Amino acid sequence: MSNILPAMLSHLRITFLGVLAAVILGLPTAAFLIRHDKLRKMLFIIVDAIQTVPSLAMLTFVMLIFGLNDTTVIVAIFLYSLFPVLRNTYVGLASVDKGTIRAGKGIGMTDLQIFSMIRFPLAAPMILTGIRLSIVSALGLATTGVFIGAGGLGMLIWRGIQTRNMGMMMSGAVPVFLLAILFEYVIGLFEKQLNKRQRRSIS
Amino acid sequence: MKKKNTITLFLAMLLLLSMLSGCGKSKGVTVGSKQFTENILLGEIYAQLIEAKTDIPVTRKLNLGGTAVCHLAAQKGEIDMYFEYTGTAYNELLNHALEAGVTKEEILAVCQKELNENSQMTLFDPLGFNNTYAVAVKTSRLEELGVETLSDLSTISDQIKFGAGHAFYTRLHDGYNGLVDTYGMKFKETLKMDTSLLYEAAHTEDLDAIIVFTTDGLLKKYDLTCLVDDKTLFPPYEGAILCRNDVLERYPELRDELNTLAGKIDDETMQMLNYQVDIENRSVEEVAKEFLISNGYISITDQDNSKIYTEQEVLDIAYKEAGINSSQASEIEVELKTKDSVEVYEIEFDYDGYEYDYVINAKTGEILSKSREKEELPTT
């Protein structure tokens, strides 16, 4: 019992740093891509390709650069999270109603204002969906971090499976499961809230 | 120009992340292992051995992914040594095909030579066990079936229900096809199932013969015996520690320690050790330590020379030897003395009309002498 909490905290740390890095890099990149179609197509091919790399192969490859530690898993999560974050943010930003944007221009908004007051707020629920997907899948991915010597709940799960020790396995699997449901639910609530507000402000 | 910015940003992110972990090579040696019990256990055994016998600080990176992760990590200097198997090294690291007819000595020689040349690593001499595939039969049924070798089994194979894990059927020469080609097996039934279910099925006699790994602790649990592979179909997977050469140059004293266990762990011992972790659910650290101490590779005091046994601890040793418990002894006397510059405990107690005397080494807990005499009755 005593080692579950530290393992859980390290699991959360790995998950969040990885997704956070993807968000920090992904949001501005997606905004930039709205006006750069060629670059967008190219970048999306790369991001799609990353998504198809099996996790152990990815970890082994990243390990060669970052070594046997949490950083490798964080970088792997970052790379895998680019797909949902970048794609959702781009689609969210690009699918904002043209009429609304023209209206903004009509009342003399600058490009920056249009982005921060129209595009971004309207795309926010979509962006949040991308982040939610990243976090939930990253929680799962972080369990494989044990194979390159990283911390987290993976150790309990894999050692439990190997030694057919159900208790040990569950002590790792159940927290991952609960965390995934928790984030799914909490971020889902935010999304709903945002959607509601948008509908209100439109009507 | 703008694309360049994105790339720079990307690199900056990676740099930032790499700093977060605060890496930086520490001194000493790092022992790695693959992600299964036997390999973890052997990694721990070597780690404890080095800690006890040298002053080199040891870091553990046990439970890493498969061979690829361990070997790449060793090449990159993330780990300095891990436990490898000759068949695996021959096939996966050195890209030689495991063909039938190559002896284990040849494979070992090729591995030692080429790992040294290609990877600058030393493969030490094997420990003695061979963790390879085997066909196992329930021990109690050996006589009934009249089998000892795979050739024996082939004569009655049309009455045998056979089971193996999925991977066994996909191996080119040394899997199921090999069994059929080399031994001419024609099983009555052939099943594919998960390894963990196989043992249970052999135990309940739903299957007559199954494919196992020779050092698996489950063999002991389910009381199965491996049949002799008399035509050497299965390639050798002899286990040996693999260490990078530069580490051996930096710490020359390591070489002796890494050689200590060569030839000392056979299939049965390895099975027993795996059994203690997998089935008895004991910790890897504890099993490793017990193995090293009970075989005299390390003594308890190796780790801390100033530490000696307490009076209670030596009394327990003496009671255990005498086969009594602490409440049964009376007239107990314990004295710490120095004899021939060795610190010893002299212990006396009475039980059931006898006087027991023990001399126990205070540092190792070893019983140096003992006696049991009829108590002198007070004369009237």
Side-chain angles (χ1 to χ4, degrees):
Chain A
M1 194 64 202
S2 59
N3 50 5
I4 296 177
L5 196 66
M8 199 160 108
L9 290 177
S10 127
H11 202 90
L12 282 174
R13 177 179 162 273
I14 291 169
T15 305
F16 276 123
L17 285 177
V19 176
L20 187 70
V23 171
I24 291 175
L25 186 71
L27 295 193
T29 309
F32 177 77
L33 291 179
I34 295 175
R35 303 231 177 120
H36 298 79
D37 255 10
K38 255 193 195 148
L39 182 64
R40 189 198 81 216
K41 278 177 189 144
M42 221 176 62
L43 211 60
F44 276 7
I45 290 175
I46 298 174
V47 171
D48 288 357
I50 290 175
Q51 208 64 18
T52 64
V53 178
S55 55
L56 188 57
M58 172 73 91
L59 286 172
T60 311
F61 174 71
V62 179
M63 181 269 289
L64 291 178
I65 306 166
F66 294 98
L68 295 171
N69 49 50
D70 290 0
T71 313
T72 297
V73 190
I74 294 171
V75 173
I77 287 177
F78 158 76
L79 290 171
Y80 282 124
S81 298
L82 282 176
F83 179 85
V85 170
L86 207 56
R87 274 208 178 254
N88 272 43
T89 309
Y90 172 77
V91 172
L93 291 174
S95 61
V96 170
D97 180 40
K98 295 271 182 330
T100 320
I101 293 171
R102 267 203 296 276
K105 271 190 188 141
I107 58 168
M109 281 177 146
T110 62
D111 277 359
L112 191 68
Q113 280 173 321
I114 288 175
F115 182 82
S116 63
M117 298 169 79
I118 297 175
R119 268 197 203 273
F120 189 75
L122 286 179
M126 194 75 176
I127 297 172
L128 220 50
T129 307
I131 296 175
R132 178 167 56 97
L133 291 175
S134 304
I135 291 182
V136 172
S137 74
L139 281 167
L141 187 76
T143 59
T144 56
V146 58
F147 291 139
I148 51 96
L153 292 159
M155 181 63 118
L156 294 169
I157 297 177
W158 290 106
R159 276 308 286 158
I161 291 175
Q162 284 155 14
T163 58
R164 298 172 182 79
N165 183 340
M166 277 302 271
M168 188 195 270
M169 196 201 82
M170 284 303 181
S171 71
V174 171
V176 174
F177 172 73
L178 291 178
L179 284 174
I181 293 196
L182 180 76
F183 284 115
E184 177 85 30
Y185 179 73
V186 170
I187 302 177
L189 273 188
F190 269 110
E191 282 170 44
K192 250 189 221 154
Q193 210 61 37
L194 281 175
N195 275 325
K196 238 192 244 167
R197 243 181 36 202
Q198 271 176 20
R199 271 200 300 276
R200 254 207 317 271
S201 59
I202 287 167
S203 58
Chain B
M1 187 63 213
K2 276 171 182 166
K3 211 159 95 187
K4 219 177 190 174
N5 281 339
T6 322
I7 295 167
T8 322
L9 194 65
F10 180 75
L11 289 176
M13 283 301 303
L14 289 188
L15 197 72
L16 186 81
L17 281 167
S18 70
M19 287 191 300
L20 278 173
S21 71
C23 37
K25 291 266 145 55
S26 54
K27 279 197 303 181
V29 296
T30 306
V31 181
S33 89
K34 307 184 195 184
Q35 82 288 29
F36 54 96
T37 301
E38 177 175 299
N39 215 269
I40 297 169
L41 188 53
L42 287 162
E44 178 64 29
I45 285 177
Y46 277 98
Q48 288 189 15
L49 190 66
I50 297 167
E51 276 173 338
K53 291 292 187 180
T54 69
D55 299 326
I56 308 167
V58 179
T59 312
R60 290 165 174 77
K61 287 276 182 192
L62 306 179
N63 211 31
L64 302 175
T67 310
V69 175
C70 281
H71 198 67
L72 284 171
Q75 295 278 281
K76 217 210 137 217
E78 284 291 320
I79 59 174
D80 297 316
M81 65 182 80
Y82 73 100
F83 200 83
E84 190 52 278
Y85 301 86
T86 51
T88 311
Y90 191 78
N91 186 236
E92 290 179 37
L93 301 180
L94 302 167
N95 293 317
H96 296 298
L98 277 167
E99 279 158 12
V102 190
T103 66
K104 61 180 186 180
E105 289 80 11
E106 280 166 0
I107 287 184
L108 175 65
V110 169
C111 289
Q112 289 184 324
K113 179 166 170 282
E114 293 188 10
L115 283 170
N116 190 30
E117 286 166 3
N118 303 353
S119 320
Q120 283 75 50
M121 294 184 86
T122 300
L123 183 69
F124 283 77
D125 287 335
L127 301 194
F129 66 85
N130 183 13
N131 184 3
T132 187
Y133 284 111
V135 177
V137 171
K138 200 173 170 188
T139 309
S140 57
R141 299 187 63 204
L142 283 174
E143 273 186 36
E144 168 201 333
L145 296 168
V147 291
E148 266 178 33
T149 64
L150 285 178
S151 294
D152 296 344
L153 191 73
S154 67
T155 61
I156 54 159
S157 64
D158 54 344
Q159 310 158 31
I160 295 292
K161 280 184 277 180
F162 173 84
H166 295 268
F168 186 73
Y169 292 93
T170 61
R171 298 176 71 94
L172 274 183
H173 308 293
D174 53 6
Y176 182 72
N177 293 339
L179 265 184
V180 172
D181 295 345
T182 313
Y183 287 101
M185 302 280 186
K186 287 193 188 94
F187 294 117
K188 181 175 150 200
E189 258 181 69
T190 306
L191 290 168
K192 291 179 190 180
M193 58 170 83
D194 190 68
T195 322
S196 54
L197 301 172
L198 281 176
Y199 290 87
E200 191 67 47
H203 187 70
T204 56
E205 303 186 12
D206 288 319
L207 289 175
D208 303 307
I210 59 166
I211 286 294
V212 297
F213 289 111
T214 44
T215 57
D216 199 322
L218 288 171
L219 289 173
K220 192 174 139 57
K221 180 179 178 193
Y222 291 115
D223 200 18
L224 304 173
T225 300
C226 297
L227 299 181
V228 178
D229 177 18
D230 51 328
K231 293 184 184 168
T232 39
L233 164 66
F234 300 121
Y237 287 90
E238 294 184 284
I241 190 87
L242 180 62
C243 182
R244 247 194 2 271
N245 289 345
D246 62 287
V247 182
L248 295 171
E249 279 157 29
R250 193 165 359 122
Y251 300 110
E253 68 269 35
L254 261 184
R255 200 171 277 274
D256 275 350
E257 301 314 328
L258 296 184
N259 259 324
T260 313
L261 295 174
K264 295 284 164 49
I265 301 183
D266 58 11
D267 285 1
E268 303 236 305
T269 312
M270 199 61 241
Q271 256 180 42
M272 186 63 212
L273 291 169
N274 287 332
Y275 179 83
Q276 290 173 0
V277 177
D278 279 344
I279 287 96
E280 293 180 344
N281 278 325
R282 295 175 59 197
S283 78
V284 167
E285 294 78 19
E286 193 185 304
V287 173
K289 187 166 197 170
E290 191 181 277
F291 167 77
L292 287 168
I293 290 176
S294 65
N295 287 285
Y297 298 121
I298 63 173
S299 56
I300 293 170
T301 48
D302 273 333
Q303 275 132 340
D304 181 2
N305 277 321
S306 60
K307 191 182 153 229
I308 61 165
Y309 275 67
T310 63
E311 287 192 7
Q312 194 52 52
E313 281 167 346
V314 286
L315 270 175
D316 287 339
I317 292 172
Y319 291 152
K320 200 177 163 198
E321 221 286 324
I324 64 172
N325 66 48
S326 56
S327 59
Q328 294 171 306
S330 58
E331 310 281 326
I332 305 157
E333 282 176 38
V334 184
E335 217 177 324
L336 184 63
K337 286 184 174 172
T338 306
K339 270 189 180 173
D340 305 328
S341 72
V342 178
E343 283 183 288
V344 296
Y345 280 107
E346 286 186 355
I347 301 168
E348 282 178 33
F349 56 84
D350 292 352
Y351 166 65
D352 197 24
Y354 286 92
E355 186 184 303
Y356 290 76
D357 284 302
Y358 283 94
V359 180
I360 293 179
N361 187 318
K363 280 192 172 172
T364 64
E366 187 191 352
I367 298 173
L368 299 173
S369 74
K370 57 182 175 186
S371 70
R372 175 171 172 271
E373 281 166 9
K374 194 96 187 151
E375 213 175 342
E376 288 164 32
L377 291 171
T379 43
T380 45

